[in-house]
Amino acid sequence: LKYLQQKREGQKIAAIWDGASYHRSHEFQDYLSQVNQDLEAADWQITCLRFAPNAPEQDPVEDIWLQTKNFVRKFYRFCHSFKLVKWLFEFFADGQVFEFPKIHEYGFFTQLV
């Protein structure tokens, strides 16, 4: 999250993930409290949304992965190293605005538009 904050300085961040234990750790919760201080939820700098484990049909990140992987597949034959594959993946995903119906099931994202 620190990396994302540096990359998107001054912008709000929404992190979407499963219920892994490190996502729920005291250390992580303390970090979020420090970053968001005493702000109202609508003003938080970092909002973390947790989806049900083993339920990819609920998780919009699965759609992001699919779109990004499909882009990489189109140009994979030009990649002669993993470094190029990684660059291509990041090139497509960085700053991309993803639009798909599932994302609107979660009210948080309607505030970002």
Side-chain angles (χ1 to χ4, degrees):
L1 287 177
K2 289 178 183 178
Y3 169 78
L4 290 174
Q5 284 181 291
Q6 291 172 350
K7 187 102 168 135
R8 305 282 186 229
E9 192 172 337
Q11 296 180 17
K12 292 182 179 182
I13 297 171
I16 305 169
W17 48 39
D18 60 21
S21 59
Y22 50 87
H23 294 155
R24 295 175 280 133
S25 71
H26 289 291
E27 179 183 358
F28 185 74
Q29 295 305 315
D30 291 344
Y31 179 74
L32 287 178
S33 294
Q34 175 190 352
V35 169
N36 293 325
Q37 298 170 5
D38 294 324
L39 298 171
E40 296 291 325
D43 298 323
W44 285 353
Q45 292 301 302
I46 300 175
T47 300
C48 298
L49 303 169
R50 190 169 54 188
F51 296 100
N54 304 313
E57 69 281 356
Q58 295 178 6
D59 190 345
V61 173
E62 294 295 330
D63 295 314
I64 293 170
W65 279 112
L66 180 61
Q67 289 180 30
T68 306
K69 287 189 292 188
N70 284 339
F71 177 81
V72 170
R73 284 182 187 123
K74 289 179 185 176
F75 299 98
Y76 184 78
R77 66 182 176 276
F78 300 113
C79 298
H80 303 290
S81 69
F82 181 74
K83 183 177 180 178
L84 286 173
V85 173
K86 181 181 173 191
W87 179 87
L88 192 61
F89 186 93
E90 290 174 349
F91 171 78
F92 180 77
D94 188 36
Q96 180 75 14
V97 175
F98 294 94
E99 178 61 40
F100 40 85
K102 190 185 305 178
I103 201 160
H104 297 291
E105 293 177 17
Y106 306 96
F108 176 81
F109 293 102
T110 58
Q111 299 170 17
L112 299 178
V113 179

